[in-house]
Amino acid sequence: MSNDPLVVFTPSGKRGRFPKGTPVLTAARQLGVDLDSVCGGRGICSKCQITPGYGEFSKHGVTVQDGALSDWNSVEQRYQDKRGLKAGRRLGCQAQIMGDVVIDVPPESQVHKQVVRKAASARVIEMDPATKLYFVEVDEADMHEPTGDLERLARALREQWEIPEIHADLSLLSKLQPVLRKGKYQVTVALHKSHNDTSARVLEIWPGLHEGGLYGLAIDLGSTTVAAHLTNLETGEVVASSGIMNPQIRFGEDLMSRVSYAMMNPGGDKEMTASVRDALNTLAEEIAREAGIAPALIVETVFVCNPVMHHLLLGIDPVELGQAPFALATSGSLSMDARELDLGVINPRARVYILPCIAGHVGADAAAVALSEEPGKSEDLVLIVDVGTNAEILLGDKTRVLACSSPTGPAFEGAQISSGQRAAPGAIDAIRIDPVTKEPRFRVIGSDLWSDEDGFDSATEGSGITGICGSGIIEAVAELRMAGLLDESGLIGSAEAAGTDRMIAEGRTHAYLICDATDQGGPRITVTQGDIRAIQLAKSALYAGARLLMDERGVDKVDRVVLAGAFGAHISSKHAMVLGMIPDVPLDKVTSAGNAAGTGARIALCNVAARAEIERVVGEITKVETAIEPKFQEHFVAANAIPHKTDPFPELAKIVTLPNPSFNTRGEDGEGDGGRRRRRRS
């Protein structure tokens, strides 16, 4: 048996014997332990911090004596003086193994750090990004060995980091020589290694050790809003998040109206492409400023988007997506230079990865939701609904995953609503209506107080009460239904019929007054009959899409529902079910995933293997096309009622007894026709 000291690494449990004097980092590498180092063991980067344990470790059969590691040295002291090391920490590249020892690798020193996606979930992202930093010492130029600087850089990376091959574009070559000389032939490079390419691309180079960080953008490019997460590619931390309205809204609020604009206006697609690329540059500039970093440190961007946004981002005319068979120019994932998309604000050599689309109207955003929520690994039947202007719906379990997209329109995001606005300070995001007095109380974004609580006025003085956002309008319609102010068909009662003077006549229809701040120069916020109709159309499309997938699986109920989307986290599951947005399940089986598409983009940004995984998963998802499915219309019409005309909601009935007024004085059919006539005239 060898007398060499035994080393046990935790938390991995990997162990081995090494000769005395072996650096801890060397032992870790030989055992395949996850210990980070950018400088390759030169005592410069301090990424390889470890914590030795002393005393008896019966679990490992090891007793660790003082002196198990070599003495603290001048390199460690220099780092301690400069930046400070936590008590008990050593640098793995400097501490040498002198006796049996147990070494703990703290989370921040692990190469494949795990980032918890959100506190409520055990889901973690393992850090293994496509772009990483490497510190190298390059041989100086020598007349007797006439090789170029790039070739010597390649040799250094091969010898010091086992990177077989690199290439660099002209803009990088032009700065290579001055940077090498400035760093005295010690430089840090950012290398991009794709999941389907063996060679590495040099994206950036800095003299000496670069400690300014490395960043990527995960962007969810939606029809109405664009959300971006600036992510530290070394730690996985989201350092800033920002969102803007998609400027393409001026060409059409929903996808089909944008396709129509491209069809009717020669060059219309080019206009829309230019506007969204311009907005992305503005967004990148703003998010870098907010985080206090140079935009050139952003070296990678991952996009998720629906197929129409996908084509317009790429500069492809979406006309084919406007008619059957809804052919995509390409459905595979795409990798390219950011400058091909005119993204000029970030690093000029930054790389872009766009997730694959599933099919004609089910895009990379649905693929990102599948990557984030993993329906194909679910033991029970899960329905995942990504609520937005174009809703993506996934239904699946371990046996099979189905997907469809449903044209809900922008009502859920506050557009097409009379007092609607995006979720911003001052917007009503929650509301309750007393079923007896019919009086409302509400909350606005920016304050935790309800409108009937002391201090509400002063708490909202800065923002005011400006409108109602998506989650607010969903709650408002459901509350009107629960308070008996709205009948099953979606008709608002008159003041006389409903028993409250909050009902205001508007032509032949009525509106419910939530708040009137006109005497203080503020808005008058109401829920109108038109608002109800817009929400009914949106929720009917959503429910009909879900029912189509359930038909395909041959089921009448699902086991659980996951609400995703920008405001999935803010929707009350009870209100969503009263409205009939989602199928009937016990309320504790309705959970929120927040912006799952954005999370999927972050996973693909932070973990290169996840890109190969989603490309595989997408190939196994069955696509259901709502646009040509005859039963969609049938489901859509039945879902117009609140909560539903024919589907029973037994779980909902256990917690809510819905009143059953009828404000239609002209007969069932007459109301429908009259309602439509009134809407055209108003």
Side-chain angles (χ1 to χ4, degrees):
M1 183 177 150
S2 169
N3 290 325
D4 288 338
L6 175 68
V7 184
V8 180
F9 284 96
T10 61
S12 67
K14 291 181 176 175
R15 55 174 57 208
R17 291 188 178 275
F18 294 88
K20 284 186 179 181
T22 302
V24 170
L25 179 63
T26 303
R29 284 188 167 165
Q30 288 182 17
L31 289 172
V33 170
D34 205 13
L35 181 57
D36 202 358
S37 173
V38 168
C39 71
R42 296 176 180 81
I44 298 171
C45 75
S46 83
K47 298 278 184 188
C48 63
Q49 292 181 35
I50 49 101
T51 307
Y54 295 93
E56 191 172 332
F57 293 86
S58 54
K59 177 185 171 186
H60 302 299
V62 177
T63 301
V64 182
Q65 313 282 352
D66 286 348
L69 291 183
S70 59
D71 292 340
W72 182 262
N73 70 14
S74 59
V75 173
E76 290 171 299
Q77 188 59 49
R78 188 180 71 217
Y79 189 83
Q80 170 77 326
D81 295 343
K82 194 174 168 187
R83 288 207 186 77
L85 282 166
K86 283 186 185 173
R89 289 267 178 98
R90 299 286 304 270
L91 294 183
C93 63
Q94 300 302 308
Q96 296 171 357
I97 297 159
M98 306 306 289
D100 292 352
V101 68
V102 174
I103 301 280
D104 183 60
V105 180
E108 60 268 37
S109 296
Q110 293 167 17
V111 179
H112 303 292
K113 301 169 186 70
Q114 294 201 321
V115 184
V116 177
R117 191 187 70 195
K118 57 179 194 285
S121 165
R123 183 84 159 80
V124 292
I125 303 171
E126 186 181 277
M127 286 303 293
D128 188 16
T131 308
K132 295 178 186 169
L133 293 172
Y134 298 86
F135 177 87
V136 282
E137 292 178 333
V138 181
D139 292 337
E140 292 192 26
D142 185 345
M143 282 203 309
H144 302 293
E145 280 192 51
T147 54
D149 283 340
L150 181 66
E151 287 69 29
R152 276 180 283 102
L153 173 64
R155 186 169 68 200
L157 284 163
R158 195 163 52 245
E159 290 171 355
Q160 293 163 39
W161 289 103
E162 297 177 2
I163 289 159
E165 186 186 348
I166 62 165
H167 57 274
D169 74 3
L170 189 57
S171 67
L172 190 285
L173 278 177
S174 67
K175 65 188 294 186
L176 176 61
Q177 293 192 311
V179 170
L180 272 171
R181 274 104 188 127
K182 187 177 179 185
K184 298 182 172 57
Y185 291 90
Q186 293 189 336
V187 293
T188 307
V189 291
L191 289 188
H192 177 89
K193 287 193 281 187
S194 169
H195 59 296
N196 49 20
D197 187 3
T198 53
S199 69
R201 183 186 296 254
V202 187
L203 298 186
E204 194 52 273
I205 183 166
W206 297 268
L209 179 71
H210 169 71
E211 294 183 285
L214 198 65
Y215 299 88
L217 281 173
I219 298 180
D220 179 4
L221 175 55
S223 316
T224 305
T225 53
V226 184
H229 305 287
L230 181 67
T231 306
N232 183 320
L233 292 179
E234 294 180 281
T235 65
E237 179 195 1
V238 175
V239 292
S241 291
S242 189
I244 53 168
M245 296 300 281
N246 187 329
Q248 293 174 344
I249 281 179
R250 70 176 185 269
F251 303 103
E253 285 195 319
D254 57 34
L255 297 178
M256 283 304 104
S257 57
R258 287 181 211 171
V259 173
S260 297
Y261 184 84
M263 286 175 171
M264 309 290 287
N265 299 276
D269 59 308
K270 303 281 188 293
E271 280 183 88
M272 289 187 279
T273 294
S275 73
V276 78
R277 289 180 178 181
D278 192 41
L280 289 167
N281 277 315
T282 303
L283 183 58
E285 203 164 19
E286 284 175 359
I287 206 166
R289 190 184 307 121
E290 186 187 329
I293 66 155
L297 290 174
I298 302 172
V299 293
E300 232 189 311
T301 302
V302 169
F303 281 102
V304 301
C305 41
N306 62 54
V308 174
M309 292 300 96
H310 175 275
H311 279 36
L312 288 172
L313 170 66
L314 292 168
I316 299 168
D317 190 338
V319 62
E320 289 295 333
L321 294 170
Q323 60 216 354
F326 313 109
L328 289 153
T330 176
S331 57
S333 67
L334 294 166
S335 297
M336 65 193 71
D337 288 325
R339 55 176 170 254
E340 289 186 69
L341 300 180
D342 302 326
L343 302 181
V345 166
I346 60 178
N347 191 290
R349 289 165 295 280
R351 294 290 289 167
V352 166
Y353 177 76
I354 303 176
L355 270 73
C357 291
I358 294 172
H361 277 288
V362 185
D365 45 3
V369 172
L371 178 60
S372 168
E373 298 308 306
E374 301 181 309
K377 295 181 181 177
S378 176
E379 295 288 347
D380 55 5
L381 189 61
V382 58
L383 180 77
I384 304 166
V385 183
D386 188 357
V387 189
T389 309
N390 204 54
E392 277 71 43
I393 307 169
L394 296 163
L395 176 70
D397 55 20
K398 281 186 165 179
T399 60
R400 190 174 171 216
V401 178
L402 305 168
C404 77
S405 126
S406 215
T408 45
F412 287 147
E413 301 190 51
Q416 291 181 345
I417 301 297
S418 58
S419 298
Q421 66 163 91
R422 62 178 293 207
I428 294 173
D429 69 338
I431 184 167
R432 300 290 178 269
I433 298 174
D434 188 299
V436 179
T437 66
K438 318 296 186 192
E439 287 297 297
R441 60 192 191 98
F442 53 85
R443 232 177 29 209
V444 300
I445 295 173
S447 167
D448 291 330
L449 296 174
W450 287 85
S451 57
D452 59 349
E453 290 182 291
D454 291 341
F456 175 81
D457 291 342
S458 56
T460 56
E461 204 170 17
S463 66
I465 303 161
T466 52
I468 189 161
C469 68
S471 59
I473 193 67
I474 285 166
E475 291 199 5
V477 178
E479 286 285 328
L480 286 168
R481 180 76 181 88
M482 287 189 283
L485 304 175
L486 185 71
D487 67 16
E488 185 191 53
S489 73
L491 197 62
I492 298 178
S494 64
E496 189 179 21
T500 171
D501 59 6
R502 283 197 171 268
M503 294 307 189
I504 303 159
E506 290 193 344
R508 290 183 171 187
T509 63
H510 298 88
Y512 178 78
L513 178 67
I514 296 175
C515 161
D516 189 351
T518 46
D519 55 342
Q520 291 116 42
R524 186 165 173 265
I525 298 169
T526 60
V527 179
T528 69
Q529 189 64 64
D531 297 342
I532 303 288
R533 293 297 183 230
I535 290 295
Q536 278 179 289
L537 291 172
K539 74 98 177 180
S540 300
L542 197 61
Y543 192 86
R547 281 296 322 183
L548 271 187
L549 297 188
M550 290 160 73
D551 289 350
E552 185 75 17
R553 277 296 294 253
V555 298
D556 282 323
K557 63 187 189 68
V558 299
D559 295 317
R560 60 189 176 94
V561 176
V562 176
L563 290 170
F567 61 89
H570 305 289
I571 298 174
S572 145
S573 49
K574 176 177 144 185
H575 290 85
M577 205 170 290
V578 168
L579 191 58
M581 277 176 72
I582 53 175
D584 185 70
V585 292
L587 279 192
D588 62 353
K589 295 291 185 183
V590 183
T591 56
S592 161
N595 185 359
T599 299
R602 270 185 58 216
I603 293 170
L605 178 67
C606 293
N607 186 289
V608 72
R611 302 181 185 186
E613 170 68 5
I614 194 55
E615 287 166 18
R616 182 192 65 77
V617 166
V618 159
E620 296 173 358
I621 293 175
T622 305
K623 166 68 172 44
V624 175
E625 182 50 73
T626 53
I628 54 172
E629 184 59 55
K631 285 199 80 175
F632 181 81
Q633 195 60 27
E634 188 184 313
H635 285 313
F636 179 84
V637 171
N640 244 261
I642 301 173
H644 199 276
K645 193 71 184 165
T646 53
D647 285 0
F649 274 68
E651 296 294 340
L652 179 63
K654 290 176 187 174
I655 52 164
V656 175
T657 303
L658 292 175
N660 209 14
S662 177
F663 300 125
N664 171 24
T665 56
R666 304 175 55 187
E668 183 92 19
D669 297 331
E671 188 278 316
D673 294 338
R676 279 195 288 274
R677 277 202 300 277
R678 286 196 292 275
R679 225 168 38 252
R680 276 204 296 271
R681 288 174 184 167
S682 61

mmCIF file of all heavy atoms in Angstrom, residues 635-664:
data_model
loop_
_atom_site.group_PDB
_atom_site.id
_atom_site.type_symbol
_atom_site.label_atom_id
_atom_site.label_comp_id
_atom_site.label_asym_id
_atom_site.label_seq_id
_atom_site.Cartn_x
_atom_site.Cartn_y
_atom_site.Cartn_z
ATOM 1 N N HIS A 635 -64.295 24.402 -29.291
ATOM 2 C CA HIS A 635 -63.799 24.625 -27.925
ATOM 3 C C HIS A 635 -63.784 26.115 -27.584
ATOM 4 O O HIS A 635 -64.090 26.505 -26.458
ATOM 5 C CB HIS A 635 -62.376 24.066 -27.782
ATOM 6 C CG HIS A 635 -62.310 22.571 -27.702
ATOM 7 N ND1 HIS A 635 -63.129 21.822 -26.893
ATOM 8 C CD2 HIS A 635 -61.496 21.673 -28.329
ATOM 9 C CE1 HIS A 635 -62.836 20.536 -27.022
ATOM 10 N NE2 HIS A 635 -61.848 20.416 -27.897
ATOM 11 N N PHE A 636 -63.433 26.925 -28.546
ATOM 12 C CA PHE A 636 -63.320 28.374 -28.350
ATOM 13 C C PHE A 636 -64.680 28.968 -27.976
ATOM 14 O O PHE A 636 -64.801 29.749 -27.030
ATOM 15 C CB PHE A 636 -62.773 29.019 -29.632
ATOM 16 C CG PHE A 636 -62.633 30.517 -29.562
ATOM 17 C CD1 PHE A 636 -61.506 31.089 -29.007
ATOM 18 C CD2 PHE A 636 -63.632 31.355 -30.048
ATOM 19 C CE1 PHE A 636 -61.369 32.469 -28.939
ATOM 20 C CE2 PHE A 636 -63.505 32.734 -29.980
ATOM 21 C CZ PHE A 636 -62.370 33.289 -29.426
ATOM 22 N N VAL A 637 -65.714 28.583 -28.700
ATOM 23 C CA VAL A 637 -67.065 29.121 -28.457
ATOM 24 C C VAL A 637 -67.549 28.699 -27.068
ATOM 25 O O VAL A 637 -68.073 29.508 -26.305
ATOM 26 C CB VAL A 637 -68.048 28.662 -29.562
ATOM 27 C CG1 VAL A 637 -69.480 29.029 -29.197
ATOM 28 C CG2 VAL A 637 -67.657 29.285 -30.900
ATOM 29 N N ALA A 638 -67.351 27.413 -26.725
ATOM 30 C CA ALA A 638 -67.796 26.918 -25.414
ATOM 31 C C ALA A 638 -67.040 27.606 -24.276
ATOM 32 O O ALA A 638 -67.585 27.810 -23.184
ATOM 33 C CB ALA A 638 -67.608 25.405 -25.339
ATOM 34 N N ALA A 639 -65.785 27.992 -24.539
ATOM 35 C CA ALA A 639 -64.956 28.616 -23.499
ATOM 36 C C ALA A 639 -65.259 30.095 -23.324
ATOM 37 O O ALA A 639 -64.703 30.746 -22.437
ATOM 38 C CB ALA A 639 -63.474 28.420 -23.823
ATOM 39 N N ASN A 640 -66.153 30.656 -24.159
ATOM 40 C CA ASN A 640 -66.501 32.073 -24.025
ATOM 41 C C ASN A 640 -67.215 32.363 -22.717
ATOM 42 O O ASN A 640 -67.073 33.436 -22.148
ATOM 43 C CB ASN A 640 -67.371 32.512 -25.202
ATOM 44 C CG ASN A 640 -66.680 33.564 -26.042
ATOM 45 O OD1 ASN A 640 -66.954 34.738 -25.892
ATOM 46 N ND2 ASN A 640 -65.755 33.142 -26.896
ATOM 47 N N ALA A 641 -68.014 31.393 -22.256
ATOM 48 C CA ALA A 641 -68.719 31.580 -20.987
ATOM 49 C C ALA A 641 -67.709 31.608 -19.843
ATOM 50 O O ALA A 641 -66.601 31.090 -19.954
ATOM 51 C CB ALA A 641 -69.726 30.451 -20.785
ATOM 52 N N ILE A 642 -68.111 32.252 -18.726
ATOM 53 C CA ILE A 642 -67.207 32.389 -17.576
ATOM 54 C C ILE A 642 -67.776 31.578 -16.413
ATOM 55 O O ILE A 642 -68.831 31.921 -15.894
ATOM 56 C CB ILE A 642 -67.064 33.875 -17.184
ATOM 57 C CG1 ILE A 642 -66.520 34.690 -18.370
ATOM 58 C CG2 ILE A 642 -66.156 34.045 -15.979
ATOM 59 C CD1 ILE A 642 -66.507 36.192 -18.144
ATOM 60 N N PRO A 643 -67.135 30.460 -15.996
ATOM 61 C CA PRO A 643 -65.853 29.963 -16.507
ATOM 62 C C PRO A 643 -65.974 29.152 -17.803
ATOM 63 O O PRO A 643 -65.055 29.159 -18.607
ATOM 64 C CB PRO A 643 -65.347 29.073 -15.375
ATOM 65 C CG PRO A 643 -66.575 28.613 -14.648
ATOM 66 C CD PRO A 643 -67.583 29.726 -14.792
ATOM 67 N N HIS A 644 -67.083 28.415 -18.029
ATOM 68 C CA HIS A 644 -67.180 27.601 -19.236
ATOM 69 C C HIS A 644 -68.628 27.179 -19.434
ATOM 70 O O HIS A 644 -69.387 27.018 -18.479
ATOM 71 C CB HIS A 644 -66.294 26.343 -19.115
ATOM 72 C CG HIS A 644 -65.972 25.699 -20.428
ATOM 73 N ND1 HIS A 644 -66.830 24.810 -21.043
ATOM 74 C CD2 HIS A 644 -64.902 25.831 -21.251
ATOM 75 C CE1 HIS A 644 -66.290 24.419 -22.193
ATOM 76 N NE2 HIS A 644 -65.118 25.019 -22.345
ATOM 77 N N LYS A 645 -69.013 27.011 -20.703
ATOM 78 C CA LYS A 645 -70.403 26.667 -21.016
ATOM 79 C C LYS A 645 -70.734 25.214 -20.665
ATOM 80 O O LYS A 645 -71.788 24.922 -20.110
ATOM 81 C CB LYS A 645 -70.658 26.895 -22.518
ATOM 82 C CG LYS A 645 -72.137 26.884 -22.905
ATOM 83 C CD LYS A 645 -72.833 28.127 -22.386
ATOM 84 C CE LYS A 645 -74.320 28.108 -22.678
ATOM 85 N NZ LYS A 645 -75.028 29.119 -21.867
ATOM 86 N N THR A 646 -69.811 24.306 -20.983
ATOM 87 C CA THR A 646 -70.143 22.880 -20.833
ATOM 88 C C THR A 646 -69.215 22.119 -19.892
ATOM 89 O O THR A 646 -69.648 21.162 -19.258
ATOM 90 C CB THR A 646 -70.118 22.185 -22.215
ATOM 91 O OG1 THR A 646 -68.853 22.471 -22.844
ATOM 92 C CG2 THR A 646 -71.249 22.693 -23.102
ATOM 93 N N ASP A 647 -67.941 22.503 -19.801
ATOM 94 C CA ASP A 647 -67.020 21.748 -18.949
ATOM 95 C C ASP A 647 -67.324 22.007 -17.470
ATOM 96 O O ASP A 647 -67.429 23.168 -17.054
ATOM 97 C CB ASP A 647 -65.560 22.143 -19.231
ATOM 98 C CG ASP A 647 -65.060 21.542 -20.532
ATOM 99 O OD1 ASP A 647 -65.842 20.834 -21.184
ATOM 100 O OD2 ASP A 647 -63.894 21.785 -20.890
ATOM 101 N N PRO A 648 -67.467 20.941 -16.678
ATOM 102 C CA PRO A 648 -67.714 21.144 -15.242
ATOM 103 C C PRO A 648 -66.423 21.593 -14.555
ATOM 104 O O PRO A 648 -65.330 21.263 -15.003
ATOM 105 C CB PRO A 648 -68.142 19.756 -14.760
ATOM 106 C CG PRO A 648 -67.485 18.803 -15.712
ATOM 107 C CD PRO A 648 -67.375 19.512 -17.042
ATOM 108 N N PHE A 649 -66.551 22.352 -13.496
ATOM 109 C CA PHE A 649 -65.393 22.792 -12.712
ATOM 110 C C PHE A 649 -65.601 22.345 -11.260
ATOM 111 O O PHE A 649 -65.806 23.167 -10.369
ATOM 112 C CB PHE A 649 -65.225 24.315 -12.814
ATOM 113 C CG PHE A 649 -64.427 24.777 -14.002
ATOM 114 C CD1 PHE A 649 -64.922 24.638 -15.294
ATOM 115 C CD2 PHE A 649 -63.167 25.338 -13.844
ATOM 116 C CE1 PHE A 649 -64.193 25.054 -16.399
ATOM 117 C CE2 PHE A 649 -62.424 25.763 -14.948
ATOM 118 C CZ PHE A 649 -62.923 25.616 -16.221
ATOM 119 N N PRO A 650 -65.573 21.008 -10.991
ATOM 120 C CA PRO A 650 -65.880 20.518 -9.643
ATOM 121 C C PRO A 650 -64.913 21.013 -8.569
ATOM 122 O O PRO A 650 -65.313 21.278 -7.442
ATOM 123 C CB PRO A 650 -65.808 18.990 -9.793
ATOM 124 C CG PRO A 650 -65.027 18.740 -11.048
ATOM 125 C CD PRO A 650 -65.295 19.903 -11.932
ATOM 126 N N GLU A 651 -63.618 21.130 -8.906
ATOM 127 C CA GLU A 651 -62.641 21.600 -7.904
ATOM 128 C C GLU A 651 -62.914 23.057 -7.549
ATOM 129 O O GLU A 651 -62.822 23.452 -6.382
ATOM 130 C CB GLU A 651 -61.206 21.434 -8.424
ATOM 131 C CG GLU A 651 -60.786 19.991 -8.658
ATOM 132 C CD GLU A 651 -60.715 19.170 -7.379
ATOM 133 O OE1 GLU A 651 -60.611 19.768 -6.284
ATOM 134 O OE2 GLU A 651 -60.773 17.929 -7.471
ATOM 135 N N LEU A 652 -63.250 23.862 -8.549
ATOM 136 C CA LEU A 652 -63.569 25.275 -8.312
ATOM 137 C C LEU A 652 -64.822 25.386 -7.446
ATOM 138 O O LEU A 652 -64.892 26.220 -6.540
ATOM 139 C CB LEU A 652 -63.780 25.997 -9.654
ATOM 140 C CG LEU A 652 -64.140 27.482 -9.574
ATOM 141 C CD1 LEU A 652 -63.015 28.293 -8.936
ATOM 142 C CD2 LEU A 652 -64.452 28.044 -10.964
ATOM 143 N N ALA A 653 -65.812 24.523 -7.703
ATOM 144 C CA ALA A 653 -67.081 24.561 -6.965
ATOM 145 C C ALA A 653 -66.871 24.291 -5.475
ATOM 146 O O ALA A 653 -67.678 24.702 -4.637
ATOM 147 C CB ALA A 653 -68.063 23.551 -7.558
ATOM 148 N N LYS A 654 -65.767 23.592 -5.125
ATOM 149 C CA LYS A 654 -65.494 23.305 -3.707
ATOM 150 C C LYS A 654 -65.111 24.568 -2.931
ATOM 151 O O LYS A 654 -65.252 24.620 -1.711
ATOM 152 C CB LYS A 654 -64.350 22.287 -3.581
ATOM 153 C CG LYS A 654 -64.716 20.878 -4.043
ATOM 154 C CD LYS A 654 -63.476 19.975 -3.959
ATOM 155 C CE LYS A 654 -63.750 18.604 -4.576
ATOM 156 N NZ LYS A 654 -62.527 17.777 -4.624
ATOM 157 N N ILE A 655 -64.595 25.564 -3.644
ATOM 158 C CA ILE A 655 -64.094 26.755 -2.939
ATOM 159 C C ILE A 655 -64.861 28.032 -3.275
ATOM 160 O O ILE A 655 -64.793 29.002 -2.545
ATOM 161 C CB ILE A 655 -62.589 26.972 -3.223
ATOM 162 C CG1 ILE A 655 -62.311 26.976 -4.728
ATOM 163 C CG2 ILE A 655 -61.737 25.940 -2.524
ATOM 164 C CD1 ILE A 655 -60.976 27.546 -5.105
ATOM 165 N N VAL A 656 -65.581 28.033 -4.388
ATOM 166 C CA VAL A 656 -66.310 29.233 -4.810
ATOM 167 C C VAL A 656 -67.707 28.833 -5.273
ATOM 168 O O VAL A 656 -67.854 27.918 -6.080
ATOM 169 C CB VAL A 656 -65.583 29.951 -5.984
ATOM 170 C CG1 VAL A 656 -66.414 31.124 -6.490
ATOM 171 C CG2 VAL A 656 -64.208 30.428 -5.576
ATOM 172 N N THR A 657 -68.711 29.545 -4.763
ATOM 173 C CA THR A 657 -70.063 29.367 -5.303
ATOM 174 C C THR A 657 -70.355 30.578 -6.179
ATOM 175 O O THR A 657 -70.464 31.704 -5.672
ATOM 176 C CB THR A 657 -71.108 29.259 -4.169
ATOM 177 O OG1 THR A 657 -70.734 28.173 -3.324
ATOM 178 C CG2 THR A 657 -72.497 28.998 -4.734
ATOM 179 N N LEU A 658 -70.420 30.360 -7.467
ATOM 180 C CA LEU A 658 -70.617 31.481 -8.382
ATOM 181 C C LEU A 658 -72.104 31.827 -8.476
ATOM 182 O O LEU A 658 -72.933 30.951 -8.712
ATOM 183 C CB LEU A 658 -70.088 31.133 -9.779
ATOM 184 C CG LEU A 658 -68.576 30.979 -9.897
ATOM 185 C CD1 LEU A 658 -68.198 30.517 -11.301
ATOM 186 C CD2 LEU A 658 -67.855 32.280 -9.574
ATOM 187 N N PRO A 659 -72.463 33.110 -8.273
ATOM 188 C CA PRO A 659 -73.854 33.515 -8.461
ATOM 189 C C PRO A 659 -74.258 33.325 -9.924
ATOM 190 O O PRO A 659 -73.396 33.251 -10.798
ATOM 191 C CB PRO A 659 -73.865 34.998 -8.081
ATOM 192 C CG PRO A 659 -72.455 35.393 -7.827
ATOM 193 C CD PRO A 659 -71.577 34.199 -7.947
ATOM 194 N N ASN A 660 -75.545 33.254 -10.181
ATOM 195 C CA ASN A 660 -75.969 32.984 -11.549
ATOM 196 C C ASN A 660 -76.959 34.024 -12.069
ATOM 197 O O ASN A 660 -78.072 33.680 -12.473
ATOM 198 C CB ASN A 660 -76.589 31.587 -11.614
ATOM 199 C CG ASN A 660 -76.385 30.976 -12.991
ATOM 200 O OD1 ASN A 660 -75.591 31.477 -13.779
ATOM 201 N ND2 ASN A 660 -77.119 29.921 -13.290
ATOM 202 N N PRO A 661 -76.547 35.308 -12.067
ATOM 203 C CA PRO A 661 -77.475 36.315 -12.594
ATOM 204 C C PRO A 661 -77.547 36.224 -14.112
ATOM 205 O O PRO A 661 -76.687 35.616 -14.747
ATOM 206 C CB PRO A 661 -76.821 37.628 -12.166
ATOM 207 C CG PRO A 661 -75.355 37.323 -12.195
ATOM 208 C CD PRO A 661 -75.235 35.888 -11.750
ATOM 209 N N SER A 662 -78.574 36.836 -14.698
ATOM 210 C CA SER A 662 -78.620 36.970 -16.161
ATOM 211 C C SER A 662 -79.029 38.394 -16.466
ATOM 212 O O SER A 662 -80.125 38.822 -16.094
ATOM 213 C CB SER A 662 -79.618 35.975 -16.757
ATOM 214 O OG SER A 662 -79.684 36.175 -18.157
ATOM 215 N N PHE A 663 -78.097 39.119 -17.059
ATOM 216 C CA PHE A 663 -78.374 40.521 -17.373
ATOM 217 C C PHE A 663 -78.834 40.694 -18.814
ATOM 218 O O PHE A 663 -78.903 41.789 -19.342
ATOM 219 C CB PHE A 663 -77.123 41.373 -17.098
ATOM 220 C CG PHE A 663 -76.684 41.306 -15.665
ATOM 221 C CD1 PHE A 663 -75.401 40.933 -15.320
ATOM 222 C CD2 PHE A 663 -77.582 41.598 -14.643
ATOM 223 C CE1 PHE A 663 -74.999 40.860 -13.990
ATOM 224 C CE2 PHE A 663 -77.194 41.534 -13.308
ATOM 225 C CZ PHE A 663 -75.901 41.161 -12.980
ATOM 226 N N ASN A 664 -79.124 39.571 -19.455
ATOM 227 C CA ASN A 664 -79.573 39.609 -20.841
ATOM 228 C C ASN A 664 -81.098 39.672 -20.856
ATOM 229 O O ASN A 664 -81.765 38.712 -20.542
ATOM 230 C CB ASN A 664 -79.067 38.353 -21.562
ATOM 231 C CG ASN A 664 -79.680 38.227 -22.931
ATOM 232 O OD1 ASN A 664 -80.105 39.225 -23.503
ATOM 233 N ND2 ASN A 664 -79.756 37.012 -23.434
#
